[in-house]
Amino acid sequence: MPKALWIAHVNVLDAKRLGAYAAAATPVIASHGGVFLARGGAYEQLEGQDHTRNVVAQFPSLQAAHDCYNSEGYQAAIKLGKGGYQRSLMIVETVD
């Protein structure tokens, strides 16, 4: 079964709020089988709009990624981070 990736491109507006979001979101993501592959490390922007932070998390399935995003815990984490960042977030299914 294919896995799924969350790919987030983030612009940090308030590091404290982003930190509150991350502290709350990390255990929720892990509880749905999510594992971070990239989280704010070095990057090189080759095309398109630049972002201050990039995050990639792998989930065991597309359903697990959806379930995590829609979970009560993750939605609460989003509320904690409100105003701390602007981001685009997508779920991408991997090839088997």
Side-chain angles (χ1 to χ4, degrees):
M1 174 174 10
K3 295 181 180 184
L5 303 174
W6 273 12
I7 302 174
H9 302 290
V10 182
N11 286 319
V12 179
L13 305 174
D14 181 325
K16 185 176 177 181
R17 288 184 184 181
L18 178 63
Y21 155 79
T26 298
V28 176
I29 291 167
S31 75
H32 286 86
V35 176
F36 289 100
L37 303 179
R39 194 173 192 187
Y43 71 95
E44 180 181 352
Q45 185 71 33
L46 298 176
E47 295 184 16
Q49 182 180 351
D50 191 26
H51 299 85
T52 56
R53 186 172 173 85
N54 300 284
V55 180
V56 178
Q58 180 177 276
F59 288 85
S61 67
L62 194 61
Q63 188 63 54
H66 279 281
D67 290 347
C68 181
Y69 183 82
N70 293 310
S71 71
E72 185 177 314
Y74 190 75
Q75 291 301 308
I78 290 173
K79 288 178 185 173
L80 286 174
K82 189 172 182 172
Y85 57 87
Q86 292 175 326
R87 73 172 175 180
S88 63
L89 174 65
M90 66 187 79
I91 299 173
V92 178
E93 192 172 53
T94 65
V95 293
D96 243 354

